[in-house]
Structure formats: C-alpha cells, structure tokens
Amino acid sequence: MTDDLYCRLGAYLRTVRQSRGIAQEDLARAVKLTRGSIANLEAGRQRIQVHTLVAACHALGLDPAEALAGALEGRVAPAPLPADDRARLAPLLRQLSSVRDGIDQLLRLENR
C-alpha cells in the first residue's frame, strides 16, 4: 500500500502539473529539487517528503490535503486550466522561485 500511495500521489501531481502547462524544471526550481527528482517523485520511484508535497502543491495551486485525498481515493486530477491561464502561470511560478531564493538568502544572512 505504501509504495502504491507514492505512485498514485506522484501520478496525481504529474497530471496536475501537465494540465497546467508547467515544466518539470519550473516545478523543480519552485520546490528546490532537481528535475530528475521531480521525475522520480512523479513516477513513484522516490518518496515525497511532507514539506516537498506542501511546496509542490502550493506551486501548482493545489491544497495539499486535497492532493493527498485525491491520490488515496484514486480520483482523477482536476481539469486542465484554460490555455491563457496556463500561459500566465508559468512566469508566475518562475517569479515565486526567485522570491523564495531571495528569502533564503535573507535568512542565511540573518543567521550569520
């Protein structure tokens, strides 16, 4: 059951990501992972950590509890966003990644 859960959760996240026109590279940047790690998570080859699930869901505009429930219940991922919304989402995701990098830099400076 455990491995099946990770496979279903990864497939659910992949479907949402693809339906929103977000590249693995963009999602990886937003959650501070490599593109390969995103591919492994989506394929169920790597177990997703809770903080990564939350970050990925936020980057995809999902509620983490809904994503987990959807995967557990075998639900189909939400319907695709309209094309113009997908086109607007990709640059916003890149901006989010830049903001997170800036916050991380500030926190590192503060902890010195």
Side-chain angles (χ1 to χ4, degrees), residues 74-85:
R75 281 192 245 142
V76 176
L81 293 174
D84 53 333
D85 287 345

Side-chain angles (χ1 to χ4, degrees), residues 5-87:
L5 168 64
Y6 288 105
C7 288
R8 286 201 260 165
L9 184 55
Y12 188 90
L13 294 175
R14 179 181 55 244
T15 302
V16 172
R17 178 187 59 73
Q18 290 173 336
S19 74
R20 297 195 174 162
I22 298 172
Q24 283 182 333
E25 293 84 6
D26 292 330
L27 181 58
R29 234 183 333 274
V31 299
K32 299 189 183 281
L33 292 176
T34 64
R35 190 215 51 82
S37 288
I38 295 297
N40 286 332
L41 291 172
E42 289 180 349
R45 292 185 297 263
Q46 182 176 328
R47 293 180 173 198
I48 190 166
Q49 296 179 346
V50 173
H51 68 278
T52 302
L53 174 62
V54 171
C57 286
H58 285 215
L60 295 170
L62 285 174
D63 174 43
E66 175 60 29
L68 187 56
L72 283 169
E73 295 169 6
R75 281 192 245 142
V76 176
L81 293 174
D84 53 333
D85 287 345
R86 286 195 313 267

